[in-house]
């Protein structure tokens, strides 16, 4: 069996940044295993501008952004195995992949980083009543067809879900000559970034129907019409509020799901983020198996994925040098009121250098709040937030000195300021 120090599964921005950082921190025997023909993952199809403002201090397209990382990978002695699908990962860190050239191959690794990104929630997952014609596809798939294959998926389009990918596709399809008749969102607010609502919908007079969902799909072989309805506060459609639109395409932008099949197959439970349960070094409960990027939790921007994954690469190096105390006591983190998820889920303070970085999201838009950090019943920090929304990941670093114990529970919650 082949042996490697580090196997990185997935060559998107998370996998590349992890491998580069691990290499620069002393781990030299690395292989990235990538399913497709290219490095870069989802960035290959994101040809719009706006990536890299944090990482490179300039606005780049997705392919420009990924090529900077790919150059860094290639300038180091990091092997990349393309068109190779990882089909198995065992608890003792044996990675199994298959490809047309080699068949099935196994690698025994000292450390494994899972960086396989996420997949889009499909029409089957949301079960819209009506017919099952062609013309109903996810927004990311439409982006792939248009930007990588040059195929316009439809001429009259409606979009369900106001996540960023749906918003960006509304603008992109309009620029390519399609008519986007509207975007409906079941929540009373959009989950997309404010800048995308303005630049992708308002600038093109595309209506956003908040508290509306698609209640019927109509069409024999191909989509002919959709019906949308206003929903009540329990998301139940209100009879008499139906509107119909003649469209040939319905794009679904109804959520990304971290792709954790490899972890669940070996019995690792998932957290509220639908990613792995990890410690402060992004290591799962199996020593030497790490998770990073969108497979750990869905990020707003690729810049955050890269920053997180550079720290994962460093964490792998610390682990490989035997410098992590895995027997040290730990405390857990828990979501309190209005907090959707927190990562990391457990923290060994003995392994934290000077401060603990926590990432979390609120579960609904809130104004005029305190974010409260309570450790073993004692409030250790309160932060003022004039406005918070689920679409914006929160990142907070707390100094180690705030924690006077190694065990127990850290709860993050929100509290009204008035
Ligand atoms: C459709 C879409 C549009 C986006 N638009 C923007 C935007 O406009 N601006 C912005 O800043 N961010 C955007 N993002 C977010 C950002 O691009 C992502 O957060 C980031 O690129 C994710 O990086 P990743 O490496 O975690 O995942 P990915 O880029 O998804 O990479 C995962 C990689 O793993 C590989 N892989 C998966 N399974 C296997 C397997 N079994 N074996 C081997 N390889 C495997 C995949 O082929 C892929 O290359 C977008 C995300 C999506 C999904």
């Amino acid at each position: 069996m082949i042996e490697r120090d580090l196997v990185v599964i997935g060559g998107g921005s998370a996998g590349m940044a992890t491998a580069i950082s691990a290499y620069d921190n002393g781990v030299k025997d690395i292989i990235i295993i990538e399913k497709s023909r290219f490095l870069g993952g989802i960035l290959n199809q994101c040809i719009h501008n706006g990536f890299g403002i944090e990482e490179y201090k300039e606005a780049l397209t997705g392919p420009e952004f990924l090529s900077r990382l790919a150059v860094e990978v290639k300038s180091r002695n990091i092997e990349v195995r393309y068109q190779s699908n990882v089909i198995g990962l065992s608890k003792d860190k044996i990675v199994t992949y298959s490809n047309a050239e080699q068949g099935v191959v196994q690698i025994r690794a000292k450390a494994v980083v899972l960086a396989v990104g996420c997949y889009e929630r499909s029409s089957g997952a949301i079960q819209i009543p009506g017919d099952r014609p062609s013309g109903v596809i996810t927004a990311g798939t439409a982006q792939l067809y248009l930007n990588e294959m040059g195929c316009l998926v439809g001429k009259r389009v409606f979009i369900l879900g106001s996540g960023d990918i749906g918003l960006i596709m509304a603008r992109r399809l309009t620029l390519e000559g399609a008519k986007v008749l509207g975007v409906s969102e079941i929540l009373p607010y959009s989950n997309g970034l404010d800048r995308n609502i303005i630049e992708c919908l308002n600038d093109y007079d595309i209506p956003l129907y908040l508290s509306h969902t698609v209640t019927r799909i109509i069409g024999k072989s191909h989509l002919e019409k959709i019906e949308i309805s206003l929903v009540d506060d329990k998301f139940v459609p209100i009879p008499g509020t139906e509107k119909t639109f003649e469209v040939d395409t319905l794009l679904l932008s109804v959520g990304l799901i971290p792709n954790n099949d490899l972890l669940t197959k070996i019995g690792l439970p998932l957290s509220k983020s639908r990613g792995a349960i990890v410690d402060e070094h992004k290591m799962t409960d199996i020593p030497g198996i790490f998770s990073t990027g969108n497979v750990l939790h869905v990020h707003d921007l690729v810049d955050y994925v890269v920053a997180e994954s550079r720290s994962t690469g460093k964490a792998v190096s610390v682990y490989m040098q035997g410098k992590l105390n895995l027997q040290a006591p730990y405390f857990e983190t828990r979501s309190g009121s209005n907090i959707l998820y927190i990562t990391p889920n457990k923290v060994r303070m003995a392994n934290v250098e000077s401060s603990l970085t926590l990432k979390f999201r609120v579960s609904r838009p809130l104004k005029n709040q305190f974010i409260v950090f309570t450790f073993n019943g004692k409030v250790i920090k309160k932060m003022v937030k004039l406005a918070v929304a689920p679409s914006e990941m929160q990142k907070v670093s707390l100094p180690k000195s705030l924690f006077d114990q190694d065990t127990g529970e850290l709860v993050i919650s929100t509290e009204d300021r008035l």
Side-chain angles (χ1 to χ4, degrees), residues 10 13-14 34-35 41-42 48 51 85-86 117 143 168 294 301-302:
S13 45
E34 168 52 47
K35 189 166 66 172
I42 207 75
H48 52 278
F51 297 83
N85 190 17
V86 173
Q143 189 180 52
I168 284 164
N294 268 11
L301 299 175
V302 67

Side-chain angles (χ1 to χ4, degrees), residues 291-328:
S291 174
T292 195
N294 268 11
V295 72
L296 180 59
H297 60 122
V298 177
H299 291 66
D300 312 336
L301 299 175
V302 67
D303 304 68
Y304 302 157
V305 168
V306 168
E308 174 176 289
S309 300
R310 287 196 197 276
S311 83
T312 309
K314 196 172 169 201
V316 170
S317 151
V318 176
Y319 166 77
M320 301 268 287
Q321 293 168 50
K323 288 187 184 161
L324 288 186
N325 179 355
L326 301 181
Q327 308 312 320

Side-chain angles (χ1 to χ4, degrees), residues 2-34:
I2 305 165
E3 303 208 345
R4 303 303 290 255
D5 283 352
L6 171 60
V7 175
V8 177
I9 308 175
S13 45
M16 287 194 282
T18 301
I20 293 163
S21 163
Y23 189 94
D24 292 347
N25 282 283
V27 184
K28 303 295 183 194
D29 180 25
I30 304 175
I31 183 167
I32 299 175
I33 302 176
E34 168 52 47

